[in-house]
Amino acid sequence: MQEKCIYNALPSKERAFFLRTNTNQILDISLGEIYNFLKQIDNDGLKKRNHLLLSNDKHYASKYIFNSCLIDFIQKEQYDKIPIYIDAFESLSFLLKQGINIISYDLLKTPFKEKIKELCNIGTLKKPLFLPTKQNDINLNKKNILMAFSIIKNVDPAYYDEITTFLDVIILVRAKNLNAGSSVDMLGMMFLEVKYINDPIDMIEIIIHESAHMYLHFLNTNDELILNDPKELFESPFRKELRPMMGVFHATFVAARIAHFFQKIKNSGVLSEQIGRVNKKISSNRQCFERCFPDVKKHSKTTKISKEIINS
């Protein structure tokens, strides 16, 4: 594979597979090192069960968040928590099947719930308040998600292939002060507030949005992307408050991807009965991109990879 096709802004099945495979290999190395470290700990319960770190090859999404938790516990020498997380890991893995999984936050065990809460708090002005999820909300979201994926696949298979390569799990949550998100610490997963999206058109936007973040997250596991001091703040497309350049770079890339995909919807004639909403998605995201891209172009301190993305 040539380098120039790895670092492009547009979706590519081959590039997504390349990135996912490489990152999964890095994860396996990390878990292998954790496995070897834990074998040295004088804890019979842990010794009997830490082989699970190297199992479950089909469900890397659960392994990414598990790896993040284990590294945190080892750094803090909180070894007593590891068996509890192994239980949670087994439970989550049992829920997952091949393909994209749509599961309720309520089905997760407490350790993973707490980790997801922690990740949801990052970058928020108000702390999310988690509430029980109703089955009707879950069913409606599943319906809209499946319809959104069907439309994405019909309009542009390249987007569909990239998304389904990167995304394994959508976690449905009910929480105030929360919309949707993903994280480099939970690669392969995104969370979605069940009251946030009401129909397939908005669902398409949020899936394109979070999968764009996920592409950059997978790149970010091997590359810093943006070298600016986090204390340097700039205008951001989707938030009122100023943000570090990494956040602006992410948001500007997301806006470009959304505008690009909805332009493809418009050109395809799909959703022609909703052309007004499609045009609005194109216009609003294009405006966000055009407002912030000059700052990214002028002020970002890039690596080779991020420079390729910006120039593409």
Side-chain angles (χ1 to χ4, degrees):
M1 180 178 294
Q2 297 177 351
E3 282 191 344
K4 66 180 181 180
C5 76
I6 296 176
Y7 312 133
N8 194 285
L10 296 177
S12 159
K13 180 180 180 178
E14 292 76 17
R15 182 180 61 242
F17 180 78
F18 175 87
L19 287 171
R20 186 69 196 255
T21 301
N22 277 12
T23 310
N24 287 353
Q25 290 172 351
I26 293 169
L27 173 64
D28 284 335
I29 291 170
S30 176
L31 288 173
E33 291 176 350
I34 292 172
Y35 172 81
N36 291 329
F37 176 80
L38 293 179
K39 284 196 299 186
Q40 304 171 32
I41 297 175
D42 187 20
N43 182 315
D44 289 338
L46 209 53
K47 286 180 181 178
K48 291 177 182 177
R49 305 188 63 200
N50 63 13
H51 69 280
L52 290 167
L53 302 181
L54 302 181
S55 67
N56 192 39
D57 290 338
K58 295 180 180 178
H59 305 309
Y60 275 91
S62 59
K63 292 171 75 173
Y64 279 112
I65 193 169
F66 187 49
N67 183 67
S68 174
C69 294
L70 291 176
I71 291 172
D72 187 47
F73 295 146
I74 289 172
Q75 289 175 341
K76 296 177 181 177
E77 298 186 357
Q78 296 175 331
Y79 305 121
D80 57 314
K81 291 188 176 182
I82 292 176
I84 299 172
Y85 269 77
I86 290 178
D87 279 333
F89 172 67
E90 286 185 279
S91 177
L92 175 57
S93 297
F94 180 77
L95 294 173
L96 302 183
K97 309 297 180 184
Q98 288 285 12
I100 293 178
N101 296 263
I102 307 168
I103 62 175
S104 169
Y105 170 85
D106 295 346
L107 295 178
L108 303 179
K109 286 197 171 182
T110 299
F112 276 170
K113 284 183 177 179
E114 294 303 315
K115 183 63 177 180
I116 290 171
K117 281 184 180 179
E118 175 190 323
L119 295 173
C120 289
N121 283 330
I122 297 174
T124 58
L125 297 177
K126 294 182 179 180
K127 187 175 180 179
L129 174 62
F130 285 76
L131 302 167
T133 308
K134 295 181 180 179
Q135 190 60 46
N136 287 345
D137 290 329
I138 293 173
N139 293 341
L140 178 59
N141 275 266
K142 284 184 176 180
K143 178 181 176 182
N144 286 332
I145 289 169
L146 293 175
M147 290 181 67
F149 272 111
S150 177
I151 294 169
I152 292 169
K153 186 176 183 179
N154 184 31
V155 170
D156 191 330
Y159 270 95
Y160 178 83
D161 289 338
E162 181 187 86
I163 294 166
T164 54
T165 300
F166 287 149
L167 182 61
D168 300 324
V169 182
I170 300 175
I171 300 174
L172 300 177
V173 305
R174 176 73 182 104
K176 295 181 178 179
N177 306 319
L178 186 68
N179 293 329
S182 56
S183 168
V184 73
D185 287 325
M186 50 186 283
L187 289 174
M189 290 187 182
M190 64 171 278
F191 58 85
L192 175 65
E193 209 286 324
V194 294
K195 298 291 187 182
Y196 181 49
I197 302 296
N198 296 314
D199 64 23
I201 294 179
D202 288 338
M203 190 65 76
I204 291 169
E205 179 174 16
I206 202 63
I207 289 172
I208 298 296
H209 183 129
E210 293 305 330
S211 65
H213 281 305
M214 210 164 289
Y215 169 41
L216 298 182
H217 289 325
F218 273 97
L219 286 173
N220 202 199
T221 61
N222 273 315
D223 190 274
E224 291 184 81
L225 294 180
I226 297 297
L227 305 176
N228 294 66
D229 188 329
K231 294 180 181 179
E232 291 182 86
L233 301 179
F234 303 88
E235 184 180 3
S236 178
F238 299 114
R239 299 190 187 182
K240 294 180 180 179
E241 71 272 17
L242 299 178
R243 300 185 71 193
M245 180 53 70
M246 177 62 92
V248 178
F249 174 67
H250 262 261
T252 305
F253 178 76
V254 166
R257 275 274 183 107
I258 295 171
H260 181 257
F261 186 78
F262 274 92
Q263 184 64 54
K264 282 182 169 288
I265 290 179
K266 181 178 180 178
N267 294 345
S268 72
V270 174
L271 301 178
S272 57
E273 72 283 2
Q274 297 281 353
I275 191 63
R277 291 184 63 194
V278 170
N279 283 333
K280 188 173 181 180
K281 299 284 188 189
I282 296 168
S283 175
S284 61
N285 282 282
R286 187 172 287 162
Q287 287 174 15
C288 287
F289 172 80
E290 291 173 350
R291 187 172 71 247
C292 294
F293 184 65
D295 273 350
V296 173
K297 191 85 171 173
K298 182 177 180 180
H299 298 295
S300 62
K301 298 174 183 177
T302 60
T303 64
K304 179 181 178 180
I305 293 177
S306 55
K307 185 176 181 179
E308 288 285 338
I309 291 173
I310 290 169
N311 291 336
S312 66

